[in-house]
Amino acid sequence: MSETTATGTTASVEGRVRGRRAEIALWSLQIVLALFYGIASALPKLIAHPSAVESFDTIGWGSAAMYLIGALELAGAVVLLVPVLSSVAAVALSALMVGAFIVQLTSFDGENAATPLILMVPLILIAWARRHRTAELARLLPRRA
């Protein structure tokens, strides 16, 4: 009987250690993605860097769309670090990446089209791993009769 208890306790401790490592890895991934979206993706759009201006001119969307997408990316980056909103942010950023993929295919002949798809992989992982946070968010919202 004590062997079963000892084995159960050992498995429980190992499970907690593995869970803690997974949580650290997930938060690290969220931080790296937030930095990427905030600095490498949103900032050039928000400061109207020549490369971003040229890209949006090529698409034909102009500066208003550039600023809007930059603001959405920055908001997604910030909200990705808010625990109760992290899953929602990952889904929203994934939706932006679907749009980016379509634009890459249609306006840039597929050049760099894989980049948004690659970025969607960790975003989908975060959305799935943090899905319980969406349930928490739903409980926080007021109910209307």
Side-chain angles (χ1 to χ4, degrees):
M1 176 104 167
S2 64
E3 287 181 23
T4 304
T5 305
T7 304
T9 303
T10 303
S12 176
V13 169
E14 288 175 7
R16 282 190 301 237
V17 169
R18 199 172 304 127
R20 177 98 172 115
R21 287 182 185 153
E23 185 68 16
I24 290 169
L26 195 56
W27 270 110
S28 299
L29 183 60
Q30 285 176 241
I31 291 167
V32 167
L33 283 172
L35 288 171
F36 170 79
Y37 279 103
I39 296 170
S41 193
L43 188 62
K45 294 172 184 83
L46 295 173
I47 65 170
H49 189 273
S51 64
V53 172
E54 181 182 335
S55 293
F56 278 83
D57 285 345
T58 300
I59 299 167
W61 289 0
S63 62
M66 178 181 66
Y67 291 124
L68 175 63
I69 292 172
L72 290 172
E73 288 175 339
L74 183 60
V78 170
V79 175
L80 196 57
L81 301 176
V82 177
V84 74
L85 297 173
S86 58
S87 179
V88 174
V91 170
L93 286 169
S94 292
L96 275 175
M97 292 302 97
V98 169
F101 173 72
I102 292 168
V103 167
Q104 290 294 329
L105 286 179
T106 58
S107 297
F108 297 102
D109 298 322
E111 185 180 333
N112 299 320
T115 303
L117 296 178
I118 292 167
L119 288 168
M120 283 178 62
V121 171
L123 289 170
I124 291 168
L125 173 68
I126 291 166
W128 181 81
R130 301 289 191 210
R131 67 193 181 280
H132 66 280
R133 304 285 186 162
T134 305
E136 288 176 28
L137 179 62
R139 284 191 296 272
L140 291 174
L141 296 175
R143 302 244 184 238
R144 294 188 181 193

